[in-house]
Amino acid sequence: QGQLVESGGGLVQPGGSLRLSCAASGFVFSFYTMSWYRQAPGKERELVALITEVGDSTNYADSVKGRFTVSRDNAKATLNLQMNSLKPEDTAVYYCNANFHQGTRVYWGQGTQVTVSS
């Protein structure tokens, strides 16, 4: 009965920054690989960033490398995504994902809208 709640989305101008957060509950957060996904209108859902259980390894989509930073706080059971130098192409609904043992348990948040526009 895991739950994930995203926050921090909104409207920002190109070149601006946003920080997304995901609050987890109902499961042992530190046992789960955490990820951010996004989906733009007319496009498939894509993986944006991933961080391992202890937070010692991360992976990013090529399109966001150098601009986005994923982090986690296991004591607070929160996942974060710092987004800098935002581009209109980053506009999408961003989803928090928790994954235990290669998908034996998976939880999704409801998503938060990020709009990059002047």
Side-chain angles (χ1 to χ4, degrees):
Q1 199 173 9
Q3 299 177 72
L4 301 171
V5 180
E6 302 95 336
S7 62
L11 175 64
V12 64
Q13 294 184 343
S17 298
L18 282 175
R19 184 175 177 85
L20 304 184
S21 295
C22 171
S25 61
F27 63 98
V28 183
F29 183 76
S30 62
F31 287 1
Y32 285 70
T33 296
M34 300 298 299
S35 301
W36 288 100
Y37 286 78
R38 69 185 181 188
Q39 187 165 24
K43 290 192 172 184
E44 295 184 352
R45 182 185 62 190
E46 66 172 341
L47 177 66
V48 176
L50 177 151
I51 186 166
T52 52
E53 292 89 338
V54 180
D56 58 347
S57 184
T58 57
N59 287 304
Y60 297 93
D62 287 342
S63 59
V64 307
K65 285 182 179 177
R67 301 187 298 120
F68 290 11
T69 302
V70 63
S71 61
R72 67 190 294 162
D73 186 336
N74 285 347
K76 297 180 179 179
T78 58
L79 174 74
N80 302 113
L81 184 67
Q82 179 65 47
M83 305 186 294
N84 299 325
S85 303
L86 283 162
K87 305 174 180 179
E89 307 90 87
D90 296 318
T91 296
V93 177
Y94 284 70
Y95 298 93
C96 178
N97 171 272
N99 187 312
F100 178 68
H101 286 183
Q102 287 72 48
T104 56
R105 289 285 182 93
V106 178
Y107 302 112
W108 290 93
Q110 292 297 120
T112 185
Q113 177 70 48
V114 172
T115 302
V116 184
S117 176
S118 59

